[in-house]
Amino acid sequence: MCGIVTAISTRNIVPVLLEGLRKLEYRGYDSAGLAVLRQSELVRLRSAGRVGELAALADSRHLEANIGIAHTRWATHGVPSERNAHPHVSGGLAVVHNGIIENFEALKAELIGKGYVFESDTDTEAVAHLLQDILRDEPDLFEAVRLTTLRLVGAYAIGVVSEADPFRAVVARRGSPLLVGVADDGMYAASDTAALLQVTRRVVYLEDGDLAELRRDGYRICRSDGVTVDRPVHVSALSADAVELGQFRHYMQKEIFEQPQALGNTLEMIAGGGSISPQFFGAQAGERLSACGRVLILACGTSYHAGLVARYWLEAVAGLPCVVEIASEYRYRESVPDPDALVVVISQSGETADTLAALKHAKALGMTRTLAICNVPESAIVREAELRFITRAGPEIGVASTKAFTTQLAALALLTLALAKLRGRLPEAEEGKHLVALRHLPVAVQKVLELEPAIEQWAQRFAGKHHALFLGRGSHWPIAMEGALKLKEISYIHAESYAAGELKHGPLALVDRDMPVIAVAPADELLEKLKSNLQEVKARGGELYVFADAGSEIAESDGVHILHMPEHYGMFSPVLHVIPLQLLSYHAALVKGTDVDKPRNLAKSVTVE
């Protein structure tokens, strides 16, 4: 959830480390630090604030070096503070770490027994002292790091530098993402490609259990068993401009407005094609998808909401039973495996720890038909799955997911249609209509974005509220859930979501003039039922904010505010209806003055349990 950067170069790497940390700020953090070797002497700087404060501290010290490590921390063990900030040191070595060491208490007790003194509350400090202890018998830094990782239980991406070995850095990973950057002036490593675009686009993705030795003139990778391996060098398609803010105030706003392009890129394969093909999901997809008898979707957070929308589509259009599970629950409960099920895992980063573990658990139960829907081609989840669909949303920096969600919906729509076609449930004429609608989707989303000024006015009324209730029915109920999540994430207004028919079973007790009720009201077969639910709110003095399709015939009146969507979009209406909810949350957060892109206590890529 935090991020690391490692560098060894002929240039001064302090600006590289700091800029790398800035590019990793989106992942969420509460403190930052770096350690460099200056004339073979270890210098460590830490800040309990933002990367900008660390940069100011480095500037005041006129810090320059050719080798070092840096870190943004998201607190897991110990409160956010300078003493708990990384890097952690032991003797003349320093360690940064992303992940959680599950056996750190046993390691700490062992090391205290040997005389090591702990100055922090973190699990990472145990790694530093353990490495120092192993170096007593194994003086080679690379081999000592390898032996150290064999003692660690849990997830980690680590970077190490040592005064005793000033001409190389060592990195290792298991569970947490880490990649090596190959440049003409040196070698680099980071948690994310975005951190390295400033120096190189050539990257090597480390596999689980890999260690890498970084020198100015090259690198070496080996597995945890000590066997040297080759990993392919990829040229990243990202550009530095892709992760720049540009004309927008925040990354979240930028990413909301990038959705037409992101959807167009994700649906590019149907732009000129005349049919839906299972080959969209891999060369073996036709055979594997034809044989599935049900669908199990595993995901967390916003991706879970995308899966809930897909359940309505898959059952109604493809005729396949579908179960959607929160990955963190599925992996720990006793479930009944179905070898005929298609297991679909959804993740923006492809490194979500619970989703990856749930995928491995499902495979261990004998469910081998697996499909990953993900935005990162070389991520762990993509590599673990048999089939894959890469959403082409581009980098998503804001913690609150927007374009990743809508592109996930686009991918799930294609999956639904492919499964329906394989099962003989998609007549040619119907397929043609769906293709036309999908091709037009980016234009339709662009029209919805034009509602921003009206939504901004609504947000002014929301800023002073402490609670909100979101309502939806059918496939738009998960959209209401996503709207409530967005409002919570970035404005800190408590929000709940309910299927509108559940109002009278309890939530109606909450409704009064101080509880705004937001309703998603598409012109579908459930509209009349929803109107009755809205009347229940109005009769009890509740204030309604309704996102309604044209032709819904919901009248504006005292306490009932209506914003009309440009067009009704049938099956794909959920993609359009989530856009105004994203904008509402964004502008409410602006009015409140919260940190939109980096909301408190949250991280972008949840790589720990």
Side-chain angles (χ1 to χ4, degrees), residues 23-28 192 194 238-239 242-245 250-259 262 302-303 347-350 352 374-376 391-408 482 486 489 578-579 582 597-598 603-605:
K23 290 297 186 287
L24 295 175
E25 285 185 304
Y26 75 92
R27 298 170 69 89
D192 192 312
L238 296 179
S239 67
V243 291
E244 296 298 334
L245 194 55
H250 299 90
Y251 280 106
M252 183 178 180
Q253 184 188 32
K254 176 177 182 275
E255 288 153 11
I256 289 172
F257 278 84
E258 285 176 339
Q259 286 175 110
T302 285
S303 297
S347 170
Q348 186 280 135
S349 68
T352 310
C374 181
N375 194 39
V376 182
T391 57
R392 296 172 61 190
E396 189 178 66
I397 306 300
V399 167
S401 181
T402 52
K403 62 178 180 174
F405 177 71
T406 49
T407 53
Q408 286 169 356
E482 177 64 11
K486 286 291 158 284
E489 282 182 303
V578 76
I579 307 295
Q582 295 170 349
D597 288 330
K598 298 182 284 291
K604 180 66 175 175
S605 182

Side-chain angles (χ1 to χ4, degrees), residues 134 138 140-148 168 211 220 226:
I134 289 175
E138 174 50 73
D140 182 78
L141 180 64
F142 186 77
E143 180 62 13
V145 172
R146 187 185 74 82
L147 294 173
T148 298
R168 61 176 174 169
L211 298 90
R220 173 169 66 99

Side-chain angles (χ1 to χ4, degrees), residues 292-296 311 314-315 318-323 341-342 423:
C292 74
R294 65 177 59 241
V295 178
L296 169 63
R311 179 178 62 183
L314 287 162
E315 296 198 344
L320 276 170
C322 179
V323 174
L342 171 67
R423 294 170 60 81

Side-chain angles (χ1 to χ4, degrees), residues 82-133:
E82 184 176 327
R83 66 186 290 268
N84 287 327
H86 298 212
H88 290 286
V89 300
S90 184
L93 65 85
V95 175
V96 291
H97 163 232
N98 178 14
I100 289 180
I101 305 303
E102 296 175 4
N103 64 332
F104 90 98
E105 290 180 334
L107 293 173
K108 184 174 182 178
E110 173 190 331
L111 291 161
I112 289 174
K114 292 182 176 183
Y116 288 92
V117 177
F118 282 73
E119 299 178 350
S120 76
D121 304 314
T122 69
D123 53 342
T124 304
E125 191 175 3
V127 179
H129 291 317
L130 177 61
L131 175 57
Q132 186 67 254
D133 193 61

Side-chain angles (χ1 to χ4, degrees), residues 14 18 22 34 45 52-64:
V14 174
L18 291 168
R22 289 189 183 95
L34 61 81
L45 301 179
E53 297 174 30
L54 180 67
L57 187 59
D59 187 58
S60 69
R61 298 277 294 272
H62 305 290
L63 193 61
E64 294 185 5

